[in-house]
Amino acid sequence: MTIFEQLVKSNMKKAYYSALGILGSHDAAMEISQQAFIRAYRNFHKYDKKRNFFTWYYKIMRNLCMNYFRDNRNRISFDSIGEFESMEPQSNPDNIYEKIELKEKLTDALNELEFEDREIIMLKEFENHSYKEIAEIMNIPVGTVMSKLFYVRKKLAKKLESML
Amino acid sequence: MIDDKFINLMEKYFVQTLTESEQKEFENMLEDNSTYKQEFEEQKKVKEVLNMIRFKNPEPEVWENYWMNVYNKFERGLAWLAVSAGALIVFGWAAYQAAEKIIQDAETPGLIKLGVAALVFGSLILLFSVLREKLFVKKSDKYKEVKR
């Protein structure tokens, strides 16, 4: 367990935030990311030590997230327990109203995205993975990652039209 | 329709990995085509909005307890497996003894004996079917990770 314990400890934050980005709930992200570690441990003999652990682990977690997403589609929402916060201090009252409105619109827009769209935005814009990593995780070419990102951002732009 | 080349250069621009010649090519594309310029501005704005948002950090205890939670869940999973296997063996043996007694008892009506035999036979088939699915079918099932 010692090596695996190290791997869990060094990847738990990334795992949790990735699950949170897709599922939008602290409890679900905790449960799914931990379940995925248990599955990863059971299948640890299949893991190629030369490759990145997180990429391998993420594929396991992705399947669990997909199942959860499919079973709880109508209940998944980013706004339910306010998992987002603005980075900047909001000193100007005019800005506060504007930012709240923007946050609401963005939350709605993200909630409406399909699993893969939400996932790719989360991996790039929130988790800051490289295109290569995303390509490996999603099993698609780098060029496809780039064009998918472009079109998902376009979808978001359409939903946020009046705010941009 | 947006050219893949443009998308590729724009994404590289966002992560600042454009070479000098690519930078020039990208700038030329923006200058020569107003649609590209518009798309670029739109993408930039969406990225800015997304970058303003960050996830809330959970309490520090969450990270302190994370490994223990994984370990406990794993341990409980093993415990449940042992309990289930033990229960299966004990109840299986008890059921076998009971069935044997009922069948060997001369006073038990024939219909009941037949029912007990069918019950035992059916249970064995069910057990065999579940084991076969777990051991053989799932190994070659490409959708095995998708919950049914």
Side-chain angles (χ1 to χ4, degrees):
Chain A
M1 273 272 187
T2 335
I3 298 170
F4 195 75
E5 184 181 346
Q6 296 294 326
L7 284 169
V8 172
K9 285 180 176 170
S10 55
N11 287 282
M12 62 187 181
K13 288 189 181 177
K14 249 203 283 189
Y16 166 79
Y17 286 117
S18 299
L20 185 64
I22 299 173
L23 307 174
S25 136
H26 167 77
D27 292 342
M30 271 292 156
E31 181 61 29
I32 297 293
S33 65
Q34 291 180 351
Q35 278 297 335
F37 276 119
I38 292 169
R39 282 202 185 190
Y41 183 75
R42 284 197 204 125
N43 292 288
F44 202 47
H45 59 281
K46 293 181 190 164
Y47 164 57
D48 177 359
K49 309 279 187 294
K50 284 175 239 150
R51 304 188 75 174
N52 182 293
F53 174 78
F54 185 78
T55 311
W56 178 75
Y57 161 83
Y58 183 85
K59 283 181 185 171
I60 298 173
M61 194 180 77
R62 185 175 194 249
N63 285 319
L64 293 175
C65 285
M66 269 165 110
N67 288 335
Y68 185 91
F69 193 84
R70 189 197 53 205
D71 295 345
N72 300 278
R73 183 69 183 95
N74 298 327
R75 279 186 285 148
I76 287 178
S77 168
F78 283 103
D79 53 2
S80 54
I81 45 174
E83 301 290 6
F84 285 108
E85 63 183 2
S86 178
M87 273 166 71
E88 295 162 34
Q90 297 161 334
S91 47
N92 184 345
D94 289 341
N95 275 352
I96 294 175
Y97 180 73
E98 211 172 273
K99 278 187 177 169
I100 289 172
E101 205 184 338
L102 182 62
K103 189 183 148 185
E104 278 173 7
K105 279 234 174 196
L106 183 64
T107 302
D108 289 345
L110 287 168
N111 282 338
E112 283 170 32
L113 290 180
E114 284 306 315
F115 181 85
E116 281 205 349
D117 292 348
R118 196 193 283 218
E119 182 186 29
I120 203 163
I121 279 290
M122 180 277 298
L123 288 169
K124 185 71 215 157
E125 308 296 355
F126 297 146
E127 288 295 299
N128 210 16
H129 285 279
S130 70
Y131 297 112
K132 201 177 153 218
E133 280 172 333
I134 299 173
E136 209 177 314
I137 285 169
M138 297 184 77
N139 215 13
I140 49 177
V142 171
T144 312
V145 171
M146 289 176 168
S147 62
K148 266 181 181 282
L149 274 167
F150 173 80
Y151 288 107
V152 179
R153 280 195 216 107
K154 265 198 90 60
K155 273 186 201 173
L156 288 174
K158 206 172 172 192
K159 292 177 202 291
L160 298 170
E161 218 166 18
S162 57
M163 304 294 297
L164 293 179
Chain B
M1 188 70 190
I2 303 296
D3 186 5
D4 282 347
K5 178 78 186 167
F6 171 72
I7 294 175
N8 185 289
L9 291 175
M10 185 169 59
E11 291 298 328
K12 281 185 167 179
Y13 170 86
F14 287 141
V15 291
Q16 296 168 340
T17 53
L18 283 174
T19 61
E20 224 170 279
S21 61
E22 283 174 334
Q23 175 81 30
K24 206 155 205 172
E25 193 183 355
F26 183 56
E27 280 166 10
N28 287 340
M29 275 178 148
L30 291 178
E31 256 176 49
D32 299 344
N33 192 323
S34 62
T35 312
Y36 284 170
K37 176 101 183 134
Q38 218 176 315
E39 294 289 354
F40 173 59
E41 291 302 327
E42 187 183 75
Q43 293 276 316
K44 230 168 47 173
K45 277 181 192 161
V46 173
K47 274 185 79 70
E48 274 166 24
V49 171
L50 289 170
N51 287 335
M52 275 169 52
I53 309 287
R54 282 289 176 266
F55 292 123
K56 266 185 191 166
N57 289 321
E59 300 299 315
E61 301 87 69
V62 166
W63 305 124
E64 284 159 24
N65 300 330
Y66 193 96
W67 162 249
M68 268 327 280
N69 286 338
V70 172
Y71 186 82
N72 287 341
K73 276 181 186 161
F74 181 74
E75 204 173 50
R76 271 171 220 157
L78 273 183
W80 272 114
L81 203 71
V83 168
S84 308
L88 196 72
I89 292 167
V90 171
F91 288 121
W93 180 79
Y96 174 77
Q97 291 293 318
E100 199 180 29
K101 254 191 186 164
I102 292 169
I103 287 170
Q104 280 175 354
D105 187 355
E107 282 176 22
T108 310
L111 190 66
I112 300 296
K113 284 184 182 178
L114 194 72
V116 170
L119 196 69
V120 171
F121 185 65
S123 304
L124 283 175
I125 291 178
L126 267 179
L127 187 68
F128 174 73
S129 169
V130 170
L131 283 177
R132 189 188 52 195
E133 192 189 65
K134 287 264 177 216
L135 296 175
F136 303 109
V137 181
K138 282 208 167 172
K139 273 190 182 164
S140 56
D141 182 4
K142 63 177 177 173
Y143 301 110
K144 64 183 171 187
E145 296 296 346
V146 179
K147 204 167 79 186
R148 286 158 215 266

